Structure formats: C-alpha cells, structure tokens
Amino acid sequence: MGLGQRPGQNTPFTAGESRSAVDHGHSPERFGPSAASGVLVSSSDQRPIRSHRAAVERVASSLAACLGLLALLALVALAYGPAVPGFFVSDDFDMLSGAASDLFSPASGFGRFMPVAATAHRLTALLSGLNPIPPHAVQVGLHGAAALLVYALGRTLGLGRGAAWAAAALWALYPRHHQAVMWFGAIAIGLAGLFGLAAIYLFGRAWREGTARAGWTAVGAYALALLSHESAVVLPALAAAVGVYLTATRRAPRPCWPPPAWVWAALAVGAVHLGTVAWAYRVRAALYPDSGYRFVGLGAELAQAPLRYAAWLVAPPPWTEAWTAGTAGLLVGIPTLLGAGVWAWRGGALARLGVAWGGVAALPVVLFGVYGMTDRYCYLPTVGVALAVVSGLAGRRWARSALALYVLVCGTLLVGVAAEWRAAGASTRSTLDALATWATAAAPARPEAVLLVGVPFKRATTWPGSQVYVFSTGVVGATHLATGWPALRVSYTFLDEYPTLPAQLAALPVAPGPPGLHLLALGPEFSDHTPRLGAALPLLEPLRWRGASRLPVEWQRYRVWSTSAGPSP
C-alpha cells in the first residue's frame, strides 16, 4: 500500500504490485514483438517473457525497498548524529563511575531492576571510559534499528511499503525522542524500546503464521526489554492489541485454545518481573522515602494526568512547557484526547490500534506522573501515534508533501537540540577539568569530604530547557571520576535552588574550617571557598543538601565549628 492509499484500496501501477496484475489480467492471447510481422504469438509462448518481466519487477521492488530503508537510516544519522561528539552529562557520570551499578540488584538503586542497562553502563566504562563517541554512536544505531522494526511491524500489520516507511519516519524523527537517543543516561529506554518493538514484531509474525520459533524468540526479546527498563511491563497489552487487530482484519487466523506454550511463558515472565519490581519499589521507598517515582494516587492529579500527558505529547518546542503547565495543559489536553477518541471511532482499524497503543504504552508514565519531567517517556507511546497518523494520511494527495515538511521541520529541531546537548557536555567537561585540577592541588593530603554549591542543573535556553540536563544525581559520580577518589564524601546544592549562595560565600571573611572538609562552588564560576569554611558553616548547615543516599557529608562531625549564626541565603 502506498502512502497515499487507503487500506484495501488498489493503486494502479504501484511498483512490483499492480502493474504485473494488470498485465496478467488481459486476454489469453497477446501480441508480442513479432506482431509487426503479422505472426500471432500464443499465451504459452509469452510465459517466459512474463516470468522474466515479473522477476525484473520483483528485483526492482526489492531494490527500491532497500534504498528506502537506507534513506530512513540516513535521516536518523543526519538528525541525531550531531549529538554524538557531545560529552557526558548528568546521570552518565554515576553510571560510568559504578555508582549506578546497583541496578543489578532489585532492592537497590531507585528500586528498579535493569541489569541489561547496567551491563551497557559497565561495558561503556570499561571499553571507552570518558570517550563519549562510541556509546552515543551505539545509541543512534539502536534508534535506527528500532525505526527499522517500526517499518517491519507496519508491514506485518498489512501496510504497504510506502505507508510503513512513513510510519517509521514519523516515529524516528519525533523531536521528543532526543533524550532517549542523545543522552547516555537514557540508554535504558532505547534498549527497552528496541527489544520491545522486536518482541511485538515477532509476536505479530507468530500470530499470523503460527510459527513457534518466532513466538519463543518474542518471549526472549520481551524478557530483555523488561530487564532494560520497567516500562516494558505494558508489552503484553500491546501484543494483545496487535493480535486483535490482525484477527479482526483477517490477517491472522482466529486464536486457538489453549494458547501455545510460548504465550503462557510470556505471561509468566511478565508476572514474575512485575512482582519483583513491586517488591523492589516497596523496599526502596522504606529506605529512601524521597527517591524514585511514586503512584500519583487516587484524586484530582490522577484525573488530570492523561490530559497533561496528551498535551505534553503534542505541544511543539519551544513552547512545550508554556502549553502544558497549569490550566494551559488542561486546555491543550482536552481537545487532544477528544480528537484521539473521534479518530479511533471514525478512522478505521489501524487508527483504533494506534490510539489504543498510545494509551496503553503511556499508562506507566501517566500513573507515575513523570510525563512533565522527561521527554524520554514518549519513546514507546509515539509508535501508536505514528500508526494513527499514517492511517489519516492514506488517500490524501498532499500526504507526501506533508511528510516531507515534517521531516524537514523535525530534522531541524533535532539538530538544534543536539547543539544544546553538546553545550551541556561542554559545561560538564570544564567542571570535571576544574575538579581534577583542584584534586591535584589538594594532594597528597586527600580530602575526606567536599561540599559543592552552585551546581548547574539544566540548560534552560533555546530548546525546552528543562529537558537538557547538565548535572543532576551525576554530581557524585563526576566528582569521583575527576578526582580519582571513589571514597570521597560529597553533598551538593543546585545553583537554581540557592542562586545567591556563591556570591555570599565569596563575601565571607577568611576563617579556617574543620580539617578534611572542603567547600567548592561549581557555578557561575569554579571557586574554592575552603579558606572561608569556618565562617560559612553556620550559613551552610541549614540548607537542603543532596546526595544523601550515597557517601554524604556527615554534618554531625562538623557541627562543633558552627559557633555563630550566619546570614540566610
């Protein structure tokens, strides 16, 4: 089916499909090259000619399909490639320093069990260290492979090559995917998306063809997706939606009962993983009540969550935050959800599948209220959006023009956000260099602990700034990597929390503080305020310090130095 073709509609002279059908549909007798001499050629004599023509058309069609997929990969490389040289940022440093290695244990980290992602973290640290190009190139490759799987899934759902390519391009260049592709800290989402799409594609193949091998391979891909990121718990529901679609559109036989063994195995894998994650979240919440994601609860926030997520999904940058916060988010979300409902009702089977996919895949995001914090949680739900949009483009004369405009606009936006990630990386690189210089000067008397103030949090410039991080929890890992002191205790505050604090510290008189404790300001400029530590302690102790879950500064050891009251920031 071509891009401008409705499901079930034949378009004349589509390469490799309709032209040969038209040729074969003529009368049993045809005139060949010898007709000019008046010799009648029988249909039996024309069979080799037709067979040769059909073979040539099949080769041409396969070549066109390969070129189309290469063009799709080229678009991915052009849009996301500029971010590859960018330095590491934020959580990356915890992962590279080993501080996030507790993701191998369900009861550690954020109460999450992501050993596949944790393995990627450790392999990166071992093989490439602080060279960002290999891991970022791998992420672009993962996204390209996922785009090919969206294309393959579209073909499995019965879309023609043009429509399947359009769905893959719409999804691949969606601007909200920048975090999952350009930020190493979000590689778990990319891995879960790749394995999840592979599982759904293989499930569709097994459901259509009844092949047990594809079914068992789908179970393996599903398990890898679960062990990459917990958002993959929605895959059984997505597979069910795909199975219903294939059966309802007569692209697969009616399901047999009892289901094959691989279906029961997939359900068992999902149940075990869900139980493990639920237990891990409870353990983590008991140990660290302020960390990790939490269910939004039964109330007004839960009722508004779908509206706000829908608004976040469609609000274009750089107006995303203005259009999704407060009342504006509700005003944008209401017509978005109503439009999705109307399109599911009137748009046909593919539109219903797309809307259902988007809603089901978004459930963990909506229920845990993370839609307004990060773009990476749009990764899997937008596959459904792409399918629903393609169902609306079918049969439209302007479909190709609209797709070309979309590719141009989104590619431009992605190149712009790549520059933002590179700028964030430049900030972290300069900070690590400054910390390394400080550590060299402090040796051989190795510090016991360090207080970091003025830590930059997010870019907040041209792209929706809250989505491009500089530092967050990665400050501890960055300090350990830069200094080479993994046992150094670190506590920190962000610059946007206490914007005047660095200037206040610079104005304090020189007063020695407790030995072994150091005080550094990372922004707006790197400064060592350790000589003023004695005067600064009364000012610093009442602040809200971060990094408490791992090697924090032990304030009780230094309270004896807080003998006078200081100004409040």
Side-chain angles (χ1 to χ4, degrees), residues 105-343:
S105 171
S108 300
F110 290 100
R112 305 154 79 177
F113 186 39
M114 303 191 296
V116 173
T119 300
H121 303 161
R122 299 312 301 145
L123 287 177
T124 298
L126 292 173
L127 299 178
S128 62
L130 288 177
N131 180 4
I133 293 180
H136 287 164
V138 166
Q139 284 184 273
V140 175
L142 290 175
H143 187 58
L148 295 181
L149 284 170
V150 174
Y151 172 85
L153 176 62
R155 295 290 286 158
T156 300
L157 295 175
L159 298 181
R161 286 180 178 143
W165 191 95
L170 287 169
W171 179 80
L173 298 180
Y174 184 66
R176 301 257 171 259
H177 295 160
H178 67 101
Q179 277 192 339
V181 186
M182 298 180 181
W183 181 24
F184 179 67
I187 195 173
I189 295 291
L191 289 168
L194 176 68
F195 291 128
L197 286 169
I200 299 298
Y201 163 69
L202 291 166
F203 168 82
R205 288 284 304 274
W207 201 252
R208 286 185 63 171
E209 302 167 9
T211 54
R213 179 179 297 178
W216 284 108
T217 309
V219 175
Y222 171 45
L224 289 173
L226 288 172
L227 297 177
S228 298
H229 194 270
E230 65 270 15
S231 60
V233 295
V234 300
L235 290 176
L238 296 180
V242 169
V244 170
Y245 171 86
L246 292 174
T247 302
T249 55
R250 300 181 181 179
R251 290 181 173 86
R254 292 189 176 276
C256 60
W257 189 264
W262 58 267
V263 173
W264 293 112
L267 294 176
V269 168
V272 170
H273 182 267
L274 192 61
T276 302
V277 170
W279 167 75
Y281 265 89
R282 287 197 300 270
V283 172
R284 177 68 180 182
L287 293 175
Y288 306 104
D290 295 333
S291 67
Y293 298 129
R294 295 289 180 270
F295 174 55
V296 296
L298 300 175
E301 185 178 359
L302 180 61
Q304 296 176 10
L307 301 176
R308 297 196 181 281
Y309 181 79
W312 186 267
L313 205 62
V314 302
W319 305 285
T320 304
E321 294 189 358
W323 289 14
T324 57
T327 304
L330 302 179
L331 295 178
V332 174
I334 289 173
T336 300
L337 285 187
L338 289 177
V342 170
W343 184 238

Side-chain angles (χ1 to χ4, degrees), residues 22 67 69 117 133 171 192 212 245 333 340 364 380 396 424 437 454 480 487 496 504 510 524 526-527:
V22 171
L67 291 176
L69 296 181
I133 293 180
W171 179 80
Y245 171 86
L380 194 57
R396 311 295 182 185
T437 301
H480 291 166
D496 58 348
Q504 287 179 284
V510 173
F526 185 89
S527 302

